[in-house]
Amino acid sequence: LEVLGKQIQVPVFSMGADVNPVTIAKEAVAHAIKHGNDPVILDTAGRLHIDEQLMDELANIKAEVNPTEILLVVDAMTGQDAVNVAKSFNDQLDITGVILSKLDGDTRGGAALSVKQVTGKPIKYASVGEKLSDLEQFHPDRMASRILGMGDVLTLIDKAQETIDEKKAQELEEKIRKQQFDLDDFLEQFKQIRKMGSFSQILGMLPGIDKKMLESVDTEENEKKMLHIEAIIQSMTQEERRKPSIIGASRKVRISKGSGTRVQDVNQLLKQFEQMQKMMKQLSGGRQAKMLKRLRKRK
């Protein structure tokens, strides 16, 4: 927990493993009040609903600190057992909400619906991956769309708005209009997209992408390809990034060695970039340019 706290720059209060959890909770709240920390999150660690002693400790913590929220984290991958756990905790503690973890697994939200039905308490957050940024606010309608294979375009838009720098987007638009889009811009856009999540996560939010298709996607292989693209561009000189047309056979060999990839990989990237440049050229003229202008005005 302290390691996680350092990563997200949040102070973590601790008194060691030997101190009674009820005492730690009381002292933590007192410490927070003294130092102006708000809100305060009390992490009671993993507890089994069948362990009476640990459940009694939770009841005592609730009585001592009177928390505003009691959120139960349940593993969506455990299916029906997640429902049993949620019911038991709710019966004993009267929880105020649920956080579902591992919602990117095979269950596709079935457990989520059951937990809400049995406890009558809202599902407030859900984690759809292993990164800190993968904790999302839970939207029932969006989950229904995912279950029905209709994608989740609204969450994809939310992620885009959170990760894409508006100033950089304006600069990119200017470069597209002036036909100055180069490999540095290509790399920057690539990094922005990667911030939105893994390849399979982004695919899963698109309409028409069903579960079987996602299972056929080799996530590890795609992540590897993304890293290769970054390595190839970063192995180029500034001049090569601005003018990819100067990259001949000897330069390709040097770039492939520098990036730990094959010459074929360098060729493939350059071909993809050439196709993108053609598309950008079309986008900068006529009707497309007017469309971009209108979009900027709306923002």
Side-chain angles (χ1 to χ4, degrees):
L1 202 60
E2 287 176 343
V3 171
L4 177 63
K6 284 177 183 175
Q7 287 178 5
I8 58 177
Q9 298 180 332
V10 170
V12 177
F13 178 88
S14 74
M15 296 175 67
D18 299 327
V19 183
N20 185 290
V22 181
T23 303
I24 297 174
K26 285 171 65 179
E27 292 297 326
V29 172
H31 176 88
I33 292 169
K34 184 179 178 181
H35 293 86
N37 300 123
D38 182 27
V40 182
I41 300 172
L42 300 175
D43 179 11
T44 59
R47 290 167 186 259
L48 296 173
H49 59 289
I50 54 174
D51 190 320
E52 290 184 17
Q53 184 181 346
L54 292 180
M55 293 302 291
D56 285 343
E57 279 183 355
L58 290 180
N60 291 335
I61 290 172
K62 178 183 178 181
E64 287 289 345
V65 301
N66 190 27
T68 307
E69 294 260 20
I70 301 177
L71 300 176
L72 172 67
V73 181
V74 295
D75 185 341
M77 292 285 285
T78 58
Q80 185 57 40
D81 192 47
V83 179
N84 298 334
V85 169
K87 184 179 185 308
S88 181
F89 271 85
N90 186 52
D91 289 345
Q92 296 185 60
L93 296 168
D94 190 23
I95 62 174
T96 57
V98 176
I99 299 175
L100 281 173
S101 68
K102 302 180 187 175
L103 203 55
D104 53 327
D106 294 334
T107 52
R108 302 182 79 204
L113 302 177
S114 300
V115 165
K116 170 68 175 71
Q117 180 67 27
V118 169
T119 63
K121 303 299 168 63
I123 297 158
K124 299 199 171 185
Y125 294 92
S127 71
V128 292
E130 296 178 358
K131 296 178 183 177
L132 293 171
S133 58
D134 291 331
L135 185 66
E136 300 175 351
Q137 189 174 348
F138 183 82
H139 297 280
D141 52 343
R142 300 184 190 184
M143 178 51 57
S145 291
R146 289 191 195 184
I147 293 170
L148 295 170
M150 294 165 62
D152 188 354
V153 177
L154 289 175
T155 297
L156 186 61
I157 292 168
D158 286 345
K159 279 184 174 288
Q161 288 175 335
E162 287 170 10
T163 56
I164 293 173
D165 188 307
E166 192 176 345
K167 186 182 177 184
K168 287 180 180 177
Q170 289 177 16
E171 290 171 359
L172 176 65
E173 183 200 326
E174 188 71 20
K175 287 194 171 190
I176 290 171
R177 280 199 277 113
K178 292 181 178 179
Q179 296 180 28
Q180 295 174 345
F181 186 81
D182 60 22
L183 279 164
D184 273 326
D185 301 314
F186 183 83
L187 181 61
E188 179 59 38
Q189 293 310 301
F190 202 74
K191 286 178 177 177
Q192 295 276 355
I193 291 169
R194 286 199 69 199
K195 286 179 188 175
M196 290 169 62
S198 69
F199 185 69
S200 60
Q201 280 180 344
I202 294 170
L203 268 183
M205 293 177 197
L206 297 173
I209 306 292
D210 62 20
K211 184 183 176 186
K212 287 182 181 177
M213 185 174 176
L214 281 177
E215 285 172 352
S216 67
V217 173
D218 191 332
T219 305
E220 194 174 328
E221 185 62 30
N222 279 299
E223 290 295 322
K224 200 182 290 183
K225 284 179 182 176
M226 289 181 175
L227 290 172
H228 283 174
I229 289 171
E230 284 191 38
I232 290 168
I233 297 175
Q234 286 168 347
S235 296
M236 295 176 183
T237 64
Q238 280 300 122
E239 188 182 13
E240 287 167 346
R241 293 184 200 183
R242 285 195 301 269
K243 300 177 184 176
S245 57
I246 68 172
I247 302 175
S250 59
R251 288 177 185 256
K252 288 175 183 176
V253 171
R254 191 203 80 238
I255 292 166
S256 67
K257 285 181 179 177
S259 59
T261 60
R262 303 169 303 166
V263 173
Q264 296 98 302
D265 297 323
V266 179
N267 283 331
Q268 189 179 12
L269 173 61
L270 291 173
K271 188 176 179 180
Q272 287 173 343
F273 179 71
E274 188 181 340
Q275 290 171 342
M276 183 173 277
Q277 270 190 320
K278 286 179 183 176
M279 185 187 76
M280 295 296 182
K281 192 174 182 181
Q282 290 174 349
L283 193 64
S284 65
R287 202 182 285 174
Q288 290 89 345
K290 289 177 183 176
M291 196 182 295
L292 274 175
K293 200 171 182 180
R294 278 197 214 106
L295 285 170
R296 289 296 326 149
K297 281 182 179 177
R298 283 182 189 177
K299 285 184 179 180

